[in-house]
Amino acid sequence: MIYLSEWNDDANRYYMASTDKGVCYFGNAEKQLVEEWLIKQVDENIVSGQEADAHNSRYLADIKKYFKGEITSFDWTYDLRGTSFQRQVWEQLLAVPYGETMTYGEIAERINRKSAVRAVGGAIGRNPVMIAIPCHRIMGKNGRLTGFSGGLPIKRQLLEIEGIAYYD
């Protein structure tokens, strides 16, 4: 079973999806795209509404606390679907501390794949759990903002919450 909840902050709509194993998606794609992705990746029935919101209540409470600056990490379990390479990259994202950044090249070095910087970028772009798996903390080699699946305005917002200076 996939539990799918919606959450709106002041400017954006987000979707949280989890299974009994843990969080499998958090992001701001259109609902139809989220549902299609979940069916393709997780291949279980989707439940929404009160049942989903009850199941996801702790995760959503943590996200709200993050946006208020009340927490700096997430003590969640995950049910991630991806290639072994993608999961290896996502694991490295979890090691980037709150308020700090790394580059794509540094992530590639951490997984002993120095020449795979573009592949690392691709895996980061497919991170299904934005914010909690902090792909927003990854910058270009020159310290500038690079793409973000949630959109650069949200990346800027997240970096500002964490007190991280950035360059457009």
Side-chain angles (χ1 to χ4, degrees), residues 3-7 14-17 47-49 52-54 56-57 60:
Y3 301 92
L4 179 62
S5 299
E6 291 183 28
W7 175 66
Y14 296 93
Y15 295 95
M16 169 69 70
V47 173
S48 57
D53 294 346
N56 290 328
S57 63
L60 291 170

Side-chain angles (χ1 to χ4, degrees), residues 66-87:
Y66 171 86
F67 273 97
K68 292 178 183 176
E70 296 174 0
I71 64 170
T72 60
S73 64
F74 299 88
D75 183 25
W76 295 354
T77 57
Y78 298 97
D79 185 4
L80 301 175
R81 311 298 170 102
T83 66
S84 60
F85 178 79
Q86 288 170 334
R87 289 192 309 271

Side-chain angles (χ1 to χ4, degrees), residues 20-143:
D20 290 330
K21 294 178 185 176
V23 175
C24 57
Y25 179 86
F26 181 74
N28 65 337
E30 293 180 28
K31 186 174 185 177
Q32 181 179 345
L33 296 175
V34 173
E35 289 174 341
E36 289 171 3
W37 183 88
L38 289 168
I39 290 167
K40 181 179 176 185
Q41 295 296 320
V42 184
D43 193 28
E44 294 183 25
N45 292 328
I46 297 174
V47 173
S48 57
Q50 290 180 341
E51 183 179 355
D53 294 346
H55 190 270
N56 290 328
S57 63
R58 180 175 75 92
Y59 306 130
L60 291 170
D62 284 351
I63 287 290
K64 292 172 188 176
K65 288 177 187 175
Y66 171 86
F67 273 97
K68 292 178 183 176
E70 296 174 0
I71 64 170
T72 60
S73 64
F74 299 88
D75 183 25
W76 295 354
T77 57
Y78 298 97
D79 185 4
L80 301 175
R81 311 298 170 102
T83 66
S84 60
F85 178 79
Q86 288 170 334
R87 289 192 309 271
Q88 190 177 20
V89 169
W90 300 336
E91 189 69 33
Q92 290 305 311
L93 295 177
L94 288 167
V96 181
Y98 181 93
E100 296 182 24
T101 62
M102 292 189 84
T103 66
Y104 296 94
E106 289 171 322
I107 296 293
E109 286 180 29
R110 283 182 161 212
I111 62 169
N112 297 314
R113 302 279 300 270
K114 275 183 152 181
S115 63
V117 174
R118 286 188 181 185
V120 164
I124 290 171
R126 289 179 185 83
N127 170 18
V129 186
M130 65 186 258
I131 302 174
I133 300 178
C135 52
H136 62 278
R137 297 180 190 148
I138 307 306
M139 306 294 236
K141 183 168 67 172
N142 57 7

